[in-house]
Amino acid sequence: MEIRLRVPGSTSNLGPGFDTLGLALTLYNRLTVRTTSAAGIRIAVQGMGAGLLPEGETNLFFRAAAAAAQRIGSPLPGLEVEMRNQIPLARGLGSSSTAIVAGVTAANHLFGGPLSESERLDLAAELEGHPDNVSACLRGGLTISSLSDGHVTCIRAFPPPELRAVVAIPHFELKTEAARAALPKEVSHREATFNVSHACLVTAALLCGDLHALQPGMIDRLHQPYRAPLIPGFEGVLKAAAEAGALGTCLSGAGPTLLAFATDGAERVKGAMVEAWRAVGIETEACVLQVDSDGVTVE
């Protein structure tokens, strides 16, 4: 059997929506998965992660597929996997979520689809540790997710079609573990209230199309102030994006990628972000992306 998967990258948090808001983007990893008579797995990686990602059973794709097979109650067959990756590693664009969602989806498809979408999402969130990126990767669009007692409640919606996500990806990594370690163990009730109100404002702005509410809404006090020192040029790049007409700016996931929302001025915003990072000696890849509406697809 052969399965072809297209798996979207994603951005998460969108400022104040920590571990809750996710948005699928038109940046993809593509996988071809074949069953073989030989046990185990062989993985060939092209593009992002080539020469870096493990090509055996420690690969996150295989671990997710094995977890899904265990949940289903059937042994996983031997696999050959070709990965063609566009999504950079450790940049805050959901690369680990793509591997997890692809592994769970592939295993479920191999066994005839016994796991529902809800069960696949619960398993993916368990493996990832939080539901924001995996929800967007699995379902597409804008996702608002909560995780309680191992179960994800997720609502999917679609922002206005003219919305563009400008992502500026610097030429350095920021491991999620380091970004998590920078966070305080406790925050004040006042800060929590601030973020709840702003996360609601961002969500409503994207659902209702009131995009001019994004800039004030995307201010965060739970994670960005603590992660900003890990990212040289953070404040300058976001300021340059806003001055170029961005509708809202934030850290993408745990970073170090920075994101700006725009519509018809997206290319101008992209150029401003690249130049601002170049001014502090950091080279950057930047692109203008749309919202992916499909999530993971099996071809």
Side-chain angles (χ1 to χ4, degrees):
M1 177 184 288
E2 180 176 288
I3 304 169
R4 295 179 181 270
L5 301 170
R6 189 186 74 168
V7 198
S10 56
T11 186
S12 62
N13 301 327
L14 308 187
F18 184 68
D19 280 2
T20 300
L21 299 180
L23 189 70
L25 301 174
T26 52
L27 187 67
Y28 300 100
N29 287 349
R30 290 175 168 82
L31 298 88
T32 301
V33 182
R34 302 182 185 91
T35 56
T36 68
S37 57
I41 187 169
R42 289 181 293 174
I43 298 175
V45 181
Q46 301 173 22
M48 298 295 179
L52 298 173
L53 292 172
E55 297 182 344
E57 295 186 359
T58 59
N59 188 283
L60 188 53
F61 168 88
F62 179 82
R63 287 155 48 198
Q70 184 178 34
R71 188 69 54 93
I72 291 167
S74 298
L76 196 66
L79 297 175
E80 290 183 351
V81 182
E82 297 175 5
M83 295 182 175
R84 299 175 300 284
N85 295 342
Q86 287 186 318
I87 302 166
L89 308 181
R91 295 297 200 282
L93 290 169
S95 61
S96 64
S97 290
T98 64
I100 291 169
V101 169
V104 171
T105 301
N108 191 56
H109 194 79
L110 287 172
F111 294 116
L115 298 178
S116 67
E117 181 180 73
S118 178
E119 290 170 324
R120 298 196 305 276
L121 181 52
D122 287 348
L123 177 57
E126 177 184 325
L127 295 169
E128 179 75 317
H130 44 90
D132 46 2
N133 287 102
V134 292
S135 295
C137 182
L138 182 69
R139 302 195 64 195
L142 168 70
T143 53
I144 305 99
S145 306
S146 67
L147 178 61
S148 179
D149 297 325
H151 176 66
V152 178
T153 300
C154 174
I155 294 175
R156 178 182 63 174
F158 298 100
E162 67 271 19
L163 185 72
R164 298 293 181 267
V166 183
V167 294
I169 310 165
H171 289 184
F172 63 88
E173 294 185 355
L174 178 57
K175 297 293 186 182
T176 302
E177 295 83 0
R180 289 266 166 184
L183 302 180
K185 296 186 182 300
E186 296 180 353
V187 297
S188 70
H189 189 274
R190 180 178 181 179
E191 289 174 330
T193 302
F194 180 94
N195 263 61
V196 168
S197 65
H198 282 67
C200 290
L201 186 59
V202 169
T203 304
L206 291 172
L207 294 180
C208 298
D210 187 0
L211 300 180
H212 292 288
L214 288 174
Q215 186 64 53
M218 290 174 72
I219 300 171
D220 165 79
R221 291 183 180 173
L222 289 188
H223 70 107
Q224 288 193 172
Y226 306 102
R227 288 169 168 170
L230 303 176
I231 304 170
F234 178 90
E235 296 293 347
V237 175
L238 294 190
K239 180 180 178 182
E243 291 176 347
L247 297 168
T249 59
C250 65
L251 186 63
S252 180
T257 294
L258 298 182
L259 176 141
F261 284 129
T263 52
D264 54 358
E267 290 293 334
R268 182 174 64 253
V269 171
K270 181 181 80 168
M273 296 175 80
V274 170
E275 287 303 316
W277 240 324
R278 186 172 291 146
V280 293
I282 296 174
E283 290 302 312
T284 309
E285 299 291 336
C287 51
V288 177
L289 303 173
Q290 299 181 42
V291 176
D292 170 87
S293 60
D294 299 322
V296 61
T297 59
V298 180
E299 300 172 353

